[in-house]
Amino acid sequence: MRIVSLLPSATDIVVALGAADNLVGVSHSCSGEWDHLPKLTSTWIDTKASAAQIDRQVSTATRPLYELDIATLERLAPDVVVSQSLCDVCAVPAGDVQEAVLSLPSSPRLVDLSPYTLADVPLCFDQVGNAIGRERAAADLRRKWDATLAEYRGRHAGSDLRVVFLDWLDPPFVAGHWVPDMIEALGMTCLLGKSGEPSFKVEWDRVAQAAPDIVIVACCGMDEDRAKADAVPLDCPVLFLDGHMHFSRPSPALLPSMAMLSDAVAEFVELV
């Protein structure tokens, strides 16, 4: 079984299912431990630029943000290619991947992941598990997922905290998809963000008018130190978390993300 993963969350799932050794290619966004494998994607976006500059590059782009190395993909002759149709800003668009896969002589199976909510994430375990012959491992992973989330459910129900969660700061974007589900599962109230809907740009005045008790920031592709480079012009507590390894990866990585979120909120509650 030869597997190509075109995004970090897919790589997370393949590894969690015990098939790390079957990976023959990954995306350029996958972490350093995969540097020994061919990178099938690339981007012209300057990811080291400021948040404002990155947003400007994306919003004014006149060509695709990502490129798929079809020649290398063909050479690798994968049996399975795991991609996504959730966000064209995060990875190669699904249509481009489908067109490329259909052109390959090896006729690989394409697994298209689209987890919009927290409940959708374990469905991806089954999708990948079925494609790579790891059905039992997928079932075990789902049980671990359910048990871990059950441990955190309602943990902060008595806090009455009203939370705005931002996944970009310049300009500010309110996090959507599975993030509101995580906040609500912990027993807090998620302001502005909607479960299953994409992140969206917002004015700082609207964030202030929502009157959050706390603003949580986990910028997509950035750790907490880099995110702190951008100002948050609000008169309320702001908590910075790692958005690169956590929160933006709909995979088993959301389990430690839930723990991180819960622990950070617990520390905040103790301080106030």
Side-chain angles (χ1 to χ4, degrees), residues 181-243:
D181 297 331
M182 296 173 70
I183 294 170
E184 297 285 348
L186 286 169
M188 301 179 290
T189 299
C190 181
L191 304 174
L192 301 180
K194 301 296 183 182
S195 171
E197 297 184 7
S199 301
F200 63 92
K201 186 161 63 174
V202 67
E203 298 295 331
W204 284 116
D205 285 348
R206 186 177 176 191
V207 178
Q209 290 166 7
D213 298 306
I214 183 173
V215 171
I216 299 175
V217 177
C219 293
C220 185
M222 297 184 182
D223 61 22
E224 57 267 41
D225 290 334
R226 186 176 175 196
K228 287 178 181 177
D230 294 300
V232 180
L234 297 171
D235 186 22
C236 71
V238 180
L239 177 64
F240 289 87
L241 299 176
D242 187 333

Side-chain angles (χ1 to χ4, degrees), residues 150-191:
E151 293 177 9
Y152 289 97
R153 198 166 296 280
R155 180 165 290 191
H156 296 290
S159 68
D160 296 323
L161 280 179
R162 292 159 46 86
V163 178
V164 168
F165 196 113
L166 302 177
D167 60 11
W168 202 255
L169 287 182
D170 192 4
F173 274 73
V174 174
H177 291 136
W178 49 85
V179 170
D181 297 331
M182 296 173 70
I183 294 170
E184 297 285 348
L186 286 169
M188 301 179 290
T189 299
C190 181
L191 304 174

